[in-house]
Amino acid sequence: RGCVRYQGGSQNHSVQPSSSRHSLSQLRNVASSDAIKKHQKSLSAWFSHQPNEERQFGPSFSLDAVHVDPVIRESSLEEILKPSPDLTIQNQLQQPCSQVISLQNLFDVDACGRQVKNVVLYGTVGTGKSTLIKKMVVDWCHGRLPRFELVIPFSCEDLSHSHAPISLRHLITKKYQHLRDVVPMLGASNLKVLFILNGLERLNLDFRLAGTELCCDPNEPVPPSAIVVNLLRKYLLPEAYIIVTTRPSAVRRIPGKYVGRYAEICGFSDTNLQKLYFQMRLSQPGCSGEDSTGSSSGEQENLVEMLSRNLERHNQIAAACFLPSYCWLVCTTLHFLYFTRMVPPSQTLTGIYTSFLRLNFSGEVLDSTDPTNISMMKYVAKTVGKLAYEGVMSRKTCFSEDDLQQCFEVEMKTESELNLLEVFRSDVFRFFLTPCVQPGKEHTFVFTIPAMQEYLAALYVVLGEKKTLAQRVGKELSEVIGKVSEDVAVVLNIISKVLPLRFLPVLFNLLKIFPRYFSRLSGKDRDAIAHTMAEELFKEEDYYNDDVLDQINSSILGVEGPMRHPDEAPDDEVFELFPIFMGGILSRRNRAILQQLGCSIKNLAAFEIAKAMKKTIIRNSRKGLPPSELMDYLFFLHEFQNERFTAEAIRSLRTVNLSSVKMTPLKCSVLASVMGTTCHEVEELNLTSCNLDTSSLRILFPVLLRCKALHLQLNSLGSDACKEIRDLLLHDKCVVSNLRLANNPVGEQGAQYLAEALAGNCSLTHLSLLHTALGDQGAEVIARHLAKNQHLQELNLGYNSLTDTAALHVVEVAKKHSALDKVHLYFNDISEDGKRALHSLRMDRDGVRALVFLTAGTDVSDYWSNILNVVQRNLPFWDRERVRQHLALILQDLESSRRQTANPWRKAKFLRVESEVKKMLGKLQHGTL
């Protein structure tokens, strides 16, 4: 209407067309509004989609549920171009607060009052650029970014693959067909449009007029790079807002005059942001699995608390979690360690690290302008991998500037190599290496996460990068000769038919021998890789360390207790994950992911390495490994993911001793998975003092069925666990013959379940229920069901507070038992009358022997040493005052029996046993036993 009033002329002729145009405009507005809503719905679904790694290594969360905005700091081109300061932890974690800017204020007017249209948002690998853009798009879709009426995101990686001319409007409708009705309005209305160009480093842009012509028509077909250049020039759609994300090395590709604001993503430079992320991520209801209970919720809270304390101590993990990507890795690793109930083949620690690298690098080339097009991960494996490997070999985790120069610059010969190094230093260096936080080592570097050093060292070795100069020259020469020989052979064959030069093909065939000879030498390299893996896996100096899973847990959550004094000598560095990662990288799935990252490991190479190390590893595993080292070996087999190899290795293990290893659900799952590759019977499985519970027994059920001797002492197994053991013993495939449940709170209800198992079991011959809080009621229940059992030979009911009635009832049933010949009843509340009644038993007459005291009438019991050994082994877990009282009674009994005998030989035996008991009592009183 305003236009009509100022057009002049008769209004009667103008009102009708204006009215029709207004109606048409309203129809277009309604259509465009519906199109934008469909566009929002489509974008929300696409950008809310989490990568496979989220679902694979833990519960999948929405961006709204766990997102924490990283710190964004306003910068300038001068600051970007000037030499970077020394990388110290203070520079990383203490950014000037005055320069911090929020995502919503990026397009506010600048310091001079000018409206900002183009924003360059840059950050090194892992700072969260892509996640921030995802969150920005999702916020707009949900109405939380009202400044813009339309957001159009483009992936520069996607645009880089197309060079065919295309118009801007056609490009938009090709990517977002819902915007077909909106595209004609671009440039012709006041529609506030935001273009997002993610990953600008993937595009080679040329802002020279000679390289990219000017274009202001959205309908004119030009190459995609020309569209980007003209959008940034503000020659095409000058009213549009543009946000560009890129790595620091590519910032200078855009001339400063086209940029209204530079902003750097600084990650979680505030430790409070790190704590907030961990609290949001680890406190999610689905974090502890589907069967989440109150206990698991408490475990989640405990994890968050321990992690927060570790961050407050300014540990190295605070420097690592400066990058949001490493916060994801920490949470994923903790989920793997604490909440894994079953281990599918795809879930391995190596798989977590490989997928973590794919999330951050996804096959990117280091520098799109470099003709070699070397992938970022391949460059990291060749350079950082070398540094990591040399550190592992010299047992070193801190690296000086000289160490870095030797690994990165010693072989720099060309301008291209120097340019790649410069790009690596600005974009990738801080992802893998960070300043050390230990006092006195501020100017040295360590790997961001300790396990990352071992992973990269393993990748360096498995990729075959560990070569001598002669090996590298030989490889290059053989490849050249192999390529040239075929062409030259054809030429010489033609010439030899015309000219009498038949000796030339003979000479050239001799040259072809070299590549064949070199291929044999490459086989030797694979033997060397296998030898390195086996040697590192069975290092004797690492035999008595914690197992690797506990080491990872300590590196993340810290070690509770007093901190080490700065002057105290540090412990030797341990690199037990190195060979495990080597095995994990050789698995088919990890090789497929590494192939996507530009690191190729051939199937034949993996097969030959496995073949070469089989004999060595199986031979070393038969030597009898300590429990923690055996757990590492089982974990290696799980990570290797080679079922045939694992089955052959497990068949050689007839005895599995994991005593005192804290068997978390993950370790139980690993043990069940590895042992499940075969069906052979296990002679002995020792799980003494392994923190087992009911869920652990459920996970291990298929393994326990195949074990002849099963040691479950000291595991706090109550009545619920006894119910699982009952089901185990009643299973038709159960082969358990020796079951030890000593020092578990079995109780009366647990005794009921075990009694039911005894009644129906056919394999059990030895059962130890020493110190299991049975009481008289529990013993009576077992006695009533004992008559239905025909195979039990030995029953231990010692230290269970049994009185005369219960003890004598058990013995009476044992007399009638066809196989039971030995009942242990020592350290019970048996009176003198009961003792005499039990002493009167005779093996030849009653068919059973009761072990009650160290005496047998006027002689020493044949089992006195067995009883004292049992006491000595279990004393740390028993009530010492009660043990002292029992030992005093035993001593009185020994002295009384010695006085009653006149046989000097028997007196000597009594004196010997008395001295042992007195020695034990003395140590008990002084607290040295």
Side-chain angles (χ1 to χ4, degrees):
R1 292 174 183 172
C3 291
V4 172
R5 281 198 300 269
Y6 289 101
Q7 282 177 353
S10 174
Q11 292 185 9
N12 294 330
H13 297 287
S14 302
V15 169
Q16 186 63 32
S18 174
S19 176
S20 62
R21 284 197 302 269
H22 180 66
S23 300
L24 184 61
S25 174
Q26 284 184 329
L27 287 173
R28 285 179 178 173
N29 287 338
V30 171
S32 63
S33 177
D34 291 341
I36 289 175
K37 287 180 181 177
K38 290 180 181 178
H39 177 61
Q40 286 177 325
K41 186 177 180 180
S42 175
L43 281 183
S44 177
W46 177 257
F47 280 86
S48 298
H49 178 73
Q50 296 285 43
N52 291 333
E53 287 75 11
E54 283 286 353
R55 296 188 296 274
Q56 183 179 349
F57 300 112
S60 181
F61 304 117
S62 66
L63 280 172
D64 291 334
V66 296
H67 182 77
V68 177
D69 284 333
V71 173
I72 303 175
R73 186 175 64 90
E74 190 167 1
S75 182
S76 64
L77 186 60
E78 292 76 16
E79 189 175 343
I80 296 168
L81 296 178
K82 73 179 182 181
S84 59
D86 291 337
L87 285 174
T88 62
I89 197 65
Q90 287 76 18
N91 288 336
Q92 287 189 359
L93 299 180
Q94 296 178 4
Q95 298 289 353
C97 296
S98 59
Q99 296 178 325
V100 171
I101 185 171
S102 68
L103 189 65
Q104 288 77 13
N105 298 329
L106 286 177
F107 290 97
D108 289 353
V109 295
D110 62 10
C112 300
R114 291 172 299 198
Q115 179 64 51
V116 173
K117 292 285 188 178
N118 292 352
V119 173
V120 172
L121 192 63
Y122 69 94
T124 58
V125 174
T127 49
K129 300 185 294 296
S130 297
T131 305
L132 190 66
I133 291 302
K134 277 186 177 182
K135 183 65 166 57
M136 186 178 184
V137 172
V138 171
D139 282 349
W140 175 77
C141 294
H142 294 160
R144 293 192 289 266
L145 207 62
R147 170 176 285 192
F148 305 108
E149 298 172 274
L150 179 62
V151 171
I152 303 176
F154 283 120
S155 165
C156 292
E157 180 186 10
D158 183 30
L159 297 179
S160 68
H161 295 312
S162 175
H163 302 286
I166 188 173
S167 69
L168 175 60
R169 287 179 175 173
H170 186 198
L171 180 64
I172 294 172
T173 54
K174 181 181 178 183
K175 305 298 180 185
Y176 307 104
Q177 53 182 313
H178 297 300
L179 298 180
R180 224 169 259 164
D181 297 330
V182 181
V183 165
M185 301 172 59
L186 294 178
S189 66
N190 293 325
L191 192 67
K192 291 184 178 180
V193 182
L194 172 65
F195 286 97
I196 298 176
L197 303 173
N198 190 31
L200 190 75
E201 67 276 356
R202 307 288 187 94
L203 282 175
N204 292 327
L205 302 181
D206 189 351
F207 281 82
R208 298 173 303 156
L209 289 176
T212 304
E213 63 178 342
L214 294 173
C215 174
C216 65
D217 185 3
N219 296 312
E220 183 181 348
V222 293
S225 59
I227 293 176
V228 173
V229 168
N230 282 291
L231 282 172
L232 291 169
R233 283 172 174 167
K234 289 303 170 192
Y235 204 74
L236 180 63
L237 300 184
E239 296 304 317
Y241 294 86
I242 301 173
I243 185 167
V244 174
T245 67
T246 184
R247 301 200 305 257
S249 63
V251 170
R252 64 193 72 183
R253 295 184 189 178
I254 306 175
K257 62 183 178 180
Y258 299 129
V259 180
R261 175 171 282 126
Y262 292 95
E264 180 186 8
I265 302 181
C266 300
F268 295 155
S269 55
D270 185 353
T271 53
N272 289 323
L273 293 178
Q274 300 174 10
K275 291 181 184 179
L276 179 61
Y277 179 90
F278 290 133
Q279 186 169 6
M280 292 176 68
R281 184 67 187 257
L282 294 173
S283 300
Q284 289 294 312
C287 184
S288 58
E290 296 180 0
D291 301 328
S292 182
T293 60
S295 61
S296 61
S297 176
E299 191 171 22
Q300 290 172 253
E301 294 175 4
N302 187 41
L303 282 178
V304 174
E305 179 63 27
M306 292 178 69
L307 199 51
S308 297
R309 285 203 298 268
N310 208 16
L311 290 170
E312 289 167 1
R313 286 197 290 261
H314 301 289
N315 205 306
Q316 197 67 51
I317 193 174
C321 294
F322 165 79
L323 296 173
S325 293
Y326 277 96
C327 292
W328 179 89
L329 179 62
V330 167
C331 288
T332 304
T333 306
L334 286 176
H335 185 274
F336 179 68
L337 292 176
Y338 281 87
F339 303 121
T340 302
R341 297 295 182 261
M342 294 297 291
V343 184
S346 59
Q347 280 203 12
T348 63
L349 187 66
T350 315
I352 289 176
Y353 276 77
T354 307
S355 299
F356 169 68
L357 294 174
R358 180 172 66 176
L359 279 173
N360 287 278
F361 294 98
S362 62
E364 288 186 53
V365 296
L366 183 60
D367 185 4
S368 60
T369 62
D370 187 77
T372 61
N373 277 334
I374 184 172
S375 75
M376 200 181 297
M377 199 60 229
K378 180 71 171 178
Y379 187 87
V380 167
K382 290 167 70 72
T383 54
V384 187
K386 180 182 178 184
L387 180 73
Y389 173 75
E390 292 181 355
V392 169
M393 290 297 101
S394 58
R395 302 181 83 82
K396 181 170 69 173
T397 57
C398 292
F399 304 93
S400 65
E401 191 66 38
D402 291 338
D403 295 328
L404 301 183
Q405 288 179 357
Q406 287 180 6
C407 283
F408 294 123
E409 299 178 11
V410 70
E411 295 180 4
M412 296 290 111
K413 297 176 183 178
T414 65
E415 182 72 16
S416 175
E417 290 174 336
L418 289 172
N419 289 338
L420 288 175
L421 178 60
E422 185 63 28
V423 172
F424 168 79
R425 277 190 172 276
S426 65
D427 295 352
V428 191
F429 180 84
R430 286 198 299 176
F431 185 83
F432 292 105
L433 292 159
T434 187
C436 184
V437 300
Q438 293 181 21
K441 296 183 178 181
E442 291 84 358
H443 296 288
T444 60
F445 296 89
V446 296
F447 278 83
T448 314
I449 290 282
M452 185 59 75
Q453 178 179 354
E454 298 176 76
Y455 181 91
L456 292 178
L459 183 61
Y460 176 77
V461 174
V462 173
L463 285 175
E465 296 294 337
K466 187 175 73 73
K467 292 186 178 71
T468 62
L469 181 61
Q471 287 173 325
R472 291 182 181 178
V473 172
K475 181 182 179 183
E476 293 174 3
L477 187 59
S478 68
E479 289 176 353
V480 171
I481 293 175
K483 291 176 182 177
V484 173
S485 61
E486 296 179 3
D487 298 332
V488 176
V490 172
V491 174
L492 287 176
N493 284 331
I494 295 172
I495 294 174
S496 64
K497 292 178 181 178
V498 180
L499 300 174
L501 300 175
R502 296 187 180 277
F503 64 93
L504 288 178
V506 176
L507 290 176
F508 195 76
N509 283 332
L510 292 175
L511 288 176
K512 293 170 68 175
I513 294 176
F514 183 77
R516 296 173 189 167
Y517 177 71
F518 183 79
S519 67
R520 294 181 182 177
L521 290 179
S522 64
K524 298 290 184 182
D525 292 342
R526 289 158 189 165
D527 289 345
I529 293 173
H531 176 74
T532 301
M533 197 183 307
E535 184 180 13
E536 292 293 326
L537 189 61
F538 298 105
K539 270 194 171 181
E540 291 189 8
E541 55 263 39
D542 296 334
Y543 267 15
Y544 298 99
N545 298 323
D546 291 339
D547 63 81
V548 291
L549 293 174
D550 283 348
Q551 291 175 28
I552 295 172
N553 183 64
S554 299
S555 70
I556 294 175
L557 298 179
V559 179
E560 295 295 319
M563 296 184 67
R564 184 190 299 277
H565 192 274
D567 297 332
E568 187 179 346
D571 296 332
D572 290 337
E573 300 293 348
V574 178
F575 297 99
E576 293 184 85
L577 268 174
F578 170 54
I580 293 174
F581 277 143
M582 287 178 70
I585 287 170
L586 287 171
S587 71
R588 185 181 297 275
R589 182 180 176 277
N590 285 316
R591 283 189 286 119
I593 296 176
L594 288 169
Q595 179 77 33
Q596 299 171 19
L597 297 176
C599 300
S600 177
I601 304 170
K602 302 297 182 185
N603 289 333
L604 181 61
F607 173 77
E608 290 180 347
I609 292 171
K611 184 179 178 181
M613 72 178 180
K614 184 181 293 185
K615 292 181 180 179
T616 307
I617 284 185
I618 293 176
R619 183 174 64 249
N620 286 330
S621 68
R622 289 172 178 165
K623 293 180 180 178
L625 301 172
S628 62
E629 195 70 13
L630 179 58
M631 187 67 239
D632 290 347
Y633 176 57
L634 296 173
F635 189 59
F636 165 80
L637 294 175
H638 168 70
E639 293 285 312
F640 193 36
Q641 292 292 301
N642 185 325
E643 192 168 336
R644 290 179 61 186
F645 182 95
T646 301
E648 192 166 342
I650 288 298
R651 284 192 197 98
S652 65
L653 288 179
R654 293 292 176 180
T655 301
V656 179
N657 181 10
L658 295 172
S659 60
S660 301
V661 173
K662 186 179 179 181
M663 294 298 290
T664 62
L666 172 62
K667 294 177 190 175
C668 291
S669 299
V670 167
L671 177 59
S673 173
V674 170
M675 297 295 289
T677 57
T678 68
C679 299
H680 77 287
E681 292 183 0
V682 180
E683 293 296 330
E684 180 180 344
L685 176 59
N686 190 344
L687 295 174
T688 302
S689 187
C690 287
N691 291 84
L692 297 180
D693 56 15
T694 307
S695 62
S696 305
L697 295 180
R698 289 196 193 103
I699 296 170
L700 292 171
F701 193 90
V703 179
L704 302 182
L705 283 174
R706 296 156 37 201
C707 300
K708 293 183 178 179
L710 187 56
H711 301 264
L712 299 176
Q713 306 98 299
L714 296 163
N715 279 298
S716 302
L717 299 176
S719 58
D720 290 340
C722 290
K723 191 175 181 181
E724 295 295 323
I725 295 172
R726 178 198 65 183
D727 296 341
L728 172 75
L729 294 174
L730 292 177
H731 198 281
D732 56 353
K733 293 183 179 179
C734 178
V735 299
V736 177
S737 60
N738 187 344
L739 176 61
R740 297 186 180 182
L741 287 169
N743 299 304
N744 283 298
V746 171
E748 183 180 342
Q749 182 60 51
Q752 176 68 41
Y753 292 131
L754 294 177
E756 293 172 8
L758 279 176
N761 178 267
C762 298
S763 63
L764 196 64
T765 58
H766 294 73
L767 175 62
S768 174
L769 295 174
L770 174 71
H771 191 226
T772 50
L774 297 180
D776 283 349
Q777 296 297 323
E780 292 282 357
V781 169
I782 289 176
R784 284 198 298 271
H785 288 76
L786 199 57
K788 301 176 184 177
N789 180 284
Q790 302 298 320
H791 302 86
L792 193 66
Q793 298 173 10
E794 184 174 349
L795 177 63
N796 191 334
L797 298 178
Y799 202 167
N800 273 298
S801 303
L802 304 188
T803 59
D804 295 1
T805 305
L808 291 171
H809 185 198
V810 170
V811 171
E812 287 300 322
V813 174
K815 284 183 183 180
K816 303 172 184 177
H817 198 280
S818 59
L820 185 61
D821 59 9
K822 194 183 297 181
V823 179
H824 299 250
L825 293 170
Y826 41 81
F827 276 62
N828 281 303
D829 300 332
I830 300 174
S831 66
E832 288 297 322
D833 293 337
K835 171 190 163 185
R836 282 192 292 272
L838 293 170
H839 275 170
S840 65
L841 293 172
R842 292 289 180 271
M843 185 66 192
D844 54 351
R845 184 188 67 202
D846 303 305
V848 66
R849 181 181 291 272
L851 280 63
V852 185
F853 287 96
L854 303 188
T855 59
T858 57
D859 198 358
V860 175
S861 170
D862 295 336
Y863 302 99
W864 71 268
S865 60
N866 293 344
I867 296 174
L868 288 183
N869 285 336
V870 168
V871 174
Q872 192 155 359
R873 282 198 309 269
N874 291 279
L875 192 57
F877 320 107
W878 289 357
D879 181 357
R880 296 201 168 205
E881 178 58 29
R882 187 173 178 185
V883 172
R884 190 191 63 77
Q885 294 174 4
H886 276 285
L887 287 176
L889 290 174
I890 287 174
L891 186 60
Q892 291 176 11
D893 183 65
L894 286 169
E895 292 172 347
S896 174
S897 298
R898 174 170 52 84
R899 286 192 293 268
Q900 292 176 17
T901 183
N903 189 318
W905 173 245
R906 291 182 178 178
K907 283 183 179 290
K909 286 173 66 177
F910 274 115
L911 288 172
R912 180 189 172 191
V913 178
E914 285 175 30
S915 67
E916 292 291 332
V917 175
K918 287 178 180 177
K919 191 186 300 182
M920 193 177 292
L921 271 171
K923 290 182 178 180
L924 189 62
Q925 289 172 352
H926 292 92
T928 58
L929 189 62

